[in-house]
Amino acid sequence: MATYQIIVIGAGYAGLGTAHYLLKHTIPALENASNGSTKCKLTLISTTTHFYHKVGAPRFLASADLIPLSKAFLPIADGFKQYDSDHFELIIGKAQSLHETEMTVVVSDTYGSSKPRTVAYSTLVLATGSSSESPLWSIPGSHEKTIAALKTMQSTLPNAKTILIAGGGPAGTETAGELGTLFPQADITLLSGADRLLTRLRPAIGAAADSQVSALGVKTIHNLRVVGSKPSADSQTTVELSDGTSRTVDVYINATGIRPNSGFLPKNWLTERGYVITRDNTSLRGPVDGVYAVGDVAGYSLGGALDIFDAVRPLCSTIFVDLAGPNAGNHKAQAFKQSVTETQIVPIGPKGGVGSVYGWRVPSFFVWLIKSRDFMVGMAPETVTGGKFVKA
């Protein structure tokens, strides 16, 4: 009996969605198509035991009273109890290196309690995502570090007189809205680092965001970036700015610096910026046969949850066709049709915000309805359990 070892590396939105779809639909279909001559096992490699609903980070960091962190961090293992051990294994560890010829991945234990483990693969899905300079926005190894960073911020902000936020993308703009609402007494400054906020949206929407954060008492400064920071006296932070000046503030929040989690991969698999090469953007096949990439780590990705969710089904259908071979019958791989139209929803405080969906500018009420109320925290449980992909 042939055995296919499918490895998915990464347990964020992309990795969990792909793993669940493969287990629910692709693996049963492969085994059925082979008339019992093929067995498949999926191994999910995650650096952390808990999934982090990082979409809600701007609200999580602002206050412990708004959304409990128990809703932000959910145990990954609980979501996979529905599958038998013959078909699924969860490994908690970090992919340390990959050997292309041997088709193996070396995984080091996140907590250092065991020796590195070598895992062989027939099919490899890279869904390692991206990391931020600050642990507020992504998990740097174990989720405990992000929880600690969020709790530190929650306890520090109420007494802060000066707050500086670096980054004019969604994370920085949303954080400015949250803090402007909760702490009107504080002197809050947002550095966009560009000529406007939200540069992936049309200028008029960026200007509307600027007006909304200004109405909350937040000062926005454009074309100025943070080039360095260091702790100073009285638990403050001194930041060095691109114009040669510096500021000392009570709280500094870095909402910049996204980088792909691809350091363990062969260099010839990566673009110049470190993203995984996809040979075409419809099948999501990676740089070599048997390797695929999905989500923020992939070169095709535009970022965002919709971009991820839209890719899962086409990716898994491609994997089925590639593995089934002649047993695929009339089944053809579903092409990934990436939406390149303007789509981004940005809450600015709990009552609304700005955004666009598939090129249509949406009103503040729509932003409240979709995201501003609770930062879509209800999406976290179905991400962990695969609820979004119950149907093929």
Side-chain angles (χ1 to χ4, degrees):
M1 177 182 290
T3 301
Y4 290 130
Q5 299 287 348
I6 302 173
I7 291 181
V8 177
I9 307 180
Y13 301 102
L16 291 179
T18 301
H20 278 297
Y21 194 97
L22 289 171
L23 287 161
K24 290 179 185 296
H25 306 294
T26 309
I27 287 176
L30 282 168
E31 294 182 346
N32 289 336
S34 71
N35 294 316
S37 64
T38 297
K39 179 183 177 182
C40 299
K41 182 175 182 179
L42 186 146
T43 300
L44 177 64
I45 299 174
S46 170
T47 61
T48 175
T49 57
H50 285 61
F51 166 73
Y52 176 35
H53 180 64
K54 62 181 183 180
V55 169
R59 187 155 295 170
F60 301 151
L61 69 85
S63 173
D65 299 327
L66 299 175
I67 301 176
L69 292 183
S70 59
K71 291 186 176 183
F73 296 88
L74 300 179
I76 293 167
D78 289 355
F80 288 85
K81 290 179 179 178
Q82 58 192 293
Y83 311 112
D84 62 71
S85 58
D86 288 340
H87 287 106
F88 176 75
E89 180 182 6
L90 174 63
I91 297 177
I92 303 301
K94 181 179 181 180
Q96 199 172 45
S97 60
L98 182 143
H99 302 284
E100 181 179 349
T101 304
E102 294 85 355
M103 297 177 71
T104 58
V105 179
V106 178
V107 184
S108 60
D109 190 300
T110 297
Y111 298 94
S113 59
S114 61
K115 294 181 179 179
R117 175 178 174 181
T118 300
V119 187
Y121 65 86
S122 309
T123 296
L124 177 66
V125 179
L126 299 169
T128 48
S130 57
S131 295
S132 307
E133 295 294 335
S134 167
L136 294 168
W137 315 109
S138 59
I139 295 180
S142 71
H143 70 288
E144 289 95 339
K145 294 179 181 178
T146 297
I147 290 177
L150 290 168
K151 287 184 174 180
T152 297
M153 194 62 64
Q154 290 171 350
S155 63
T156 304
L157 283 168
N159 298 316
K161 294 181 179 178
T162 53
I163 301 170
L164 180 67
I165 304 164
T173 304
E174 290 171 354
T175 300
E178 294 297 307
L179 302 191
T181 301
L182 287 174
F183 309 110
Q185 76 285 357
D187 181 355
I188 305 173
T189 302
L190 172 62
L191 303 183
S192 72
D195 58 359
R196 60 188 176 88
L197 297 178
L198 306 175
T199 55
R200 287 186 59 184
L201 294 173
R202 71 194 75 168
I205 298 178
D210 209 327
S211 295
Q212 289 189 27
V213 296
S214 178
L216 294 172
V218 177
K219 293 188 292 291
T220 303
I221 301 176
H222 299 300
N223 298 311
L224 188 63
R225 294 176 293 106
V226 173
V227 296
S229 65
K230 60 183 178 181
S232 58
D234 300 323
S235 300
Q236 294 179 308
T237 301
T238 298
V239 294
E240 304 294 331
L241 302 175
S242 56
D243 64 356
T245 64
S246 64
R247 288 191 186 195
T248 298
V249 295
D250 295 327
V251 174
Y252 168 53
I253 298 175
N254 185 355
T256 66
I258 298 295
R259 61 187 183 277
N261 296 324
S262 60
F264 67 99
L265 296 173
K267 297 298 182 185
N268 62 325
W269 286 19
L270 307 176
T271 68
E272 290 183 0
R273 296 179 60 204
Y275 292 89
V276 179
I277 295 168
T278 46
R279 283 178 283 174
D280 65 79
N281 291 353
T282 58
S283 72
L284 309 188
R285 292 184 179 96
V288 298
D289 290 344
V291 175
Y292 308 82
V294 63
D296 290 355
V297 76
Y300 77 87
S301 178
L302 298 175
L306 284 177
D307 199 63
I308 291 171
F309 296 144
D310 288 348
V312 169
R313 285 183 175 86
L315 166 64
C316 293
S317 75
T318 298
I319 292 173
F320 172 80
V321 168
D322 289 351
L323 290 182
N327 292 329
N330 294 324
H331 184 95
K332 294 183 179 180
Q334 177 185 343
F336 171 50
K337 298 178 181 179
Q338 188 174 40
S339 174
V340 295
T341 55
E342 179 188 61
T343 298
Q344 202 169 68
I345 300 293
V346 183
I348 300 177
K351 296 182 180 180
V354 301
S356 176
V357 176
Y358 299 122
W360 293 91
R361 183 173 178 177
V362 296
S364 183
F365 171 78
F366 183 88
V367 177
W368 171 84
L369 184 66
I370 299 299
K371 188 175 179 182
S372 182
R373 290 182 295 171
D374 61 1
F375 274 80
M376 306 169 75
V377 74
M379 187 173 73
E382 71 171 6
T383 301
V384 173
T385 62
K388 191 171 182 65
F389 298 107
V390 171
K391 294 181 179 181

